Amino acid sequence: MRTHPRFALWCIIVLTSLVVLIDLPKFPLHLSYQLPVIGKKVSINNYPGFGLHFTIGQTVVNKDFVFREGLDLQGGTSITLRANMQNIPASERDSALQSAQAVLENRVNLYGISEPVIQTVTTNNDYRIVVELPGVNNQQAEQLVGTTAQLSFWEEGASGSAVASASALPLGVPQTLGLNAHKTDLNGKDLQSASSTFDPTTGKPEVQLIFNSEGTKKFADITKRNVGKPLAMVLDNEIITAPPIVSQAIPNGNAVINGNFTTDQVNRLAIELQAGVLPISLTPLSSQTIGASLGQNALKQSLFAGILGFFIVIVFMVTLYKRLGFIASAALTLYTLLVLAIFKAIPVTLTLAGIAGFILSIGMAVDANILIFERTREELKSGKSLTSAIELGFARAWSSIRDSNASTLITSAILYKFGTGSVRGFALTLAIGVLMSMFSAIFVTRTLIRVFYRKNYEYH
């Protein structure tokens, strides 16, 4: 008793159509359909660069299917920062460095940079953080990772409990605060959130601050005793904007930072405040800008190598296994399209190392077919019928395919867990390729063989 593979074949056809649609670089399309069951309209719009934009009633879902390029392909900035550990006890330096790394990761993630690399390097009591930001120029990188984001509030002639620490006036604080101006006990640690918004009256961009419960109490006390007086907000020892005059006490813990800001400046300021305060000061040691032209040349060379290797594998399989080789080549083509579609859908940020992992997985996908075909040949030599030889070839090669791919997946998991940057990209693309190669060899190749050798099978 054997199930007819027609259903499996149709599944493969549908899957192939879907992945080809996703892999297409440009495919403008507009479809609109009224759902008869729920009475809602569904619209699908595909724009250049291929993305699906679903609208079901009032619900809108946007999904772009594009390749994300890493630093070595897209271009960007690599910057090395040295951590100042002079005032940090030796036993706490490692944790301080890790905390600084976490703060930088939060900032970069909030900024929306794809596949950043932030890693620490410690040698001979020299503590450094290496930051790689694809698609970001050198000036943006230094502004994003170089600031400590220490927010403080300064008041005129503070007294009593209002004085947390007295020090020299920060750079840019106007003398209208008085020479005895003091920093209050309200700072960035009392923030609950910081977000970019727009002034409803003027339309200018500004930063909305919301303090936590403790910060709300502090801010209420500060504004209450400073009604009619200026209150300065200082970031990293520099005045943010002209000190506003407190018109009334603010008990709800909300504050606004406004001024002559651009939208980018407001977004960056909100990110710096929201992502946290760096526990240590960081000094830029070196920065390197990688141009997009270098990345494009590397990408073209890598794609050429991948395409050349793909066709060489197909020629090898067809020459060695004839008709079975054609079937394996068709499965390999679907495998390649499927993996590329997954890279777009997740999405996976492609680096040169990641592309190398993908090309390597193509060879591993063919390796599974070779094991199956060689086992089939052995069964044929032993006198088995073609049908029995093919089925036994798949069944007896499965354990070898499973074990070899499992060991590769374990290695990929270790590399991804403990590696950084391009090593993790290589591990991820290799793991995806290995998983899809198993699907291709066991499901796709097996189904195609059953269809093209259907005269040798009996179905009921």
Side-chain angles (χ1 to χ4, degrees), residues 98-111:
Q98 296 298 325
S99 298
Q101 180 187 18
V103 170
L104 293 181
E105 287 177 346
N106 289 336
R107 289 186 187 177
V108 171
N109 291 335
L110 288 172
Y111 199 77

Side-chain angles (χ1 to χ4, degrees), residues 36-337:
V37 178
I38 61 176
K40 291 186 179 295
K41 187 177 181 181
V42 177
S43 298
I44 301 177
N45 300 283
N46 298 340
Y47 299 101
F50 194 75
L52 292 180
H53 304 261
F54 296 94
T55 303
I56 303 179
Q58 300 297 322
T59 304
V60 179
V61 178
N62 295 321
K63 176 62 179 178
D64 293 324
F65 293 95
V66 294
F67 288 118
R68 286 187 178 180
E69 299 176 356
L71 181 66
D72 50 358
L73 299 180
Q74 182 183 359
T77 299
S78 175
I79 183 170
T80 301
L81 305 166
R82 171 178 288 168
N84 182 7
M85 296 290 188
Q86 292 180 354
N87 299 322
I88 306 295
S91 60
E92 299 178 5
R93 292 181 178 179
D94 289 337
S95 61
L97 189 66
Q98 296 298 325
S99 298
Q101 180 187 18
V103 170
L104 293 181
E105 287 177 346
N106 289 336
R107 289 186 187 177
V108 171
N109 291 335
L110 288 172
Y111 199 77
I113 299 173
S114 62
E115 202 68 17
V117 176
I118 303 176
Q119 55 186 337
T120 60
V121 179
T122 304
T123 55
N124 297 326
N125 293 324
D126 186 21
Y127 297 85
R128 301 183 181 184
I129 298 179
V130 179
V131 182
E132 296 180 358
L133 304 175
V136 177
N137 62 40
N138 189 33
Q139 183 179 5
Q140 289 176 317
E142 291 186 357
Q143 291 175 342
L144 183 61
V145 304
T147 56
T148 56
Q150 294 178 350
L151 179 67
S152 60
F153 291 77
W154 290 68
E155 63 184 353
E156 173 186 280
S159 61
S161 61
V163 181
S165 62
S167 60
L169 285 173
L171 180 64
V173 175
Q175 296 298 319
T176 54
L177 290 179
L179 294 177
N180 62 337
H182 290 282
K183 182 165 61 176
T184 69
D185 57 353
L186 183 67
N187 53 55
K189 295 181 180 179
D190 297 312
L191 271 180
Q192 176 177 314
S193 66
S195 58
S196 58
T197 183
F198 294 91
D199 189 319
T201 303
T202 64
K204 293 183 178 180
E206 59 186 18
V207 178
Q208 177 74 39
L209 303 180
I210 299 178
F211 296 99
N212 56 30
S213 57
E214 184 177 354
T216 298
K217 296 177 182 178
K218 294 179 182 179
F219 190 60
D221 292 339
I222 293 170
T223 54
K224 182 178 180 179
R225 64 173 172 263
N226 283 284
V227 173
K229 299 179 181 180
L231 180 66
M233 286 175 279
V234 178
L235 182 69
D236 291 339
N237 210 38
E238 291 189 12
I239 190 71
I240 295 177
T241 183
I245 303 299
V246 179
S247 59
Q248 60 182 358
I250 304 176
N252 59 5
N254 291 344
V256 173
I257 301 176
N258 52 28
N260 295 321
F261 297 134
T262 65
T263 302
D264 289 339
Q265 288 173 331
V266 167
N267 289 335
R268 187 172 63 251
L269 178 58
I271 288 171
E272 291 170 357
L273 296 174
Q274 176 73 19
V277 179
L278 284 171
I280 51 179
S281 62
L282 300 175
T283 304
L285 285 182
S286 63
S287 61
Q288 178 184 7
T289 300
I290 300 176
S293 59
L294 174 62
Q296 290 300 318
N297 291 333
L299 180 59
K300 290 178 181 179
Q301 294 174 358
S302 300
L303 291 177
F304 174 78
I307 294 172
L308 180 62
F310 177 80
F311 281 106
I312 290 176
V313 168
I314 288 180
V315 171
F316 171 79
M317 293 297 294
V318 172
T319 302
L320 188 61
Y321 295 105
K322 305 300 186 294
R323 190 176 179 183
L324 287 176
F326 277 107
I327 294 175
S329 299
L332 183 63
T333 302
L334 175 57
Y335 157 81
T336 303
L337 295 174

Side-chain angles (χ1 to χ4, degrees), residues 267-446:
N267 289 335
R268 187 172 63 251
L269 178 58
I271 288 171
E272 291 170 357
L273 296 174
Q274 176 73 19
V277 179
L278 284 171
I280 51 179
S281 62
L282 300 175
T283 304
L285 285 182
S286 63
S287 61
Q288 178 184 7
T289 300
I290 300 176
S293 59
L294 174 62
Q296 290 300 318
N297 291 333
L299 180 59
K300 290 178 181 179
Q301 294 174 358
S302 300
L303 291 177
F304 174 78
I307 294 172
L308 180 62
F310 177 80
F311 281 106
I312 290 176
V313 168
I314 288 180
V315 171
F316 171 79
M317 293 297 294
V318 172
T319 302
L320 188 61
Y321 295 105
K322 305 300 186 294
R323 190 176 179 183
L324 287 176
F326 277 107
I327 294 175
S329 299
L332 183 63
T333 302
L334 175 57
Y335 157 81
T336 303
L337 295 174
L338 179 59
V339 173
L340 291 176
I342 291 175
F343 286 170
K344 279 189 171 184
I346 290 178
V348 174
T349 300
L350 294 177
T351 62
L352 290 178
I355 294 175
F358 170 56
I359 295 174
L360 176 61
S361 67
I362 293 178
M364 300 183 68
V366 175
D367 180 64
N369 286 307
I370 291 176
L371 287 174
I372 293 169
F373 296 161
E374 289 300 325
R375 290 293 303 183
T376 300
R377 279 183 173 181
E378 293 178 3
E379 298 300 331
L380 286 172
K381 290 179 180 179
S382 66
K384 299 289 193 307
S385 65
L386 180 60
T387 301
S388 298
I390 291 175
E391 293 300 323
L392 288 173
F394 275 95
R396 294 178 177 176
W398 164 242
S399 59
S400 299
I401 296 172
R402 178 197 62 204
D403 294 344
S404 62
N405 286 333
S407 63
T408 303
L409 289 174
I410 292 173
T411 303
S412 298
I414 294 173
L415 288 175
Y416 188 84
K417 174 66 176 178
F418 299 101
T420 57
S422 59
V423 175
R424 298 187 70 181
F426 172 82
L428 180 60
T429 55
L430 180 60
I432 293 174
V434 168
L435 290 173
M436 291 303 101
S437 71
M438 295 175 66
F439 168 79
S440 173
I442 302 302
F443 180 75
V444 178
T445 303
R446 192 170 194 170

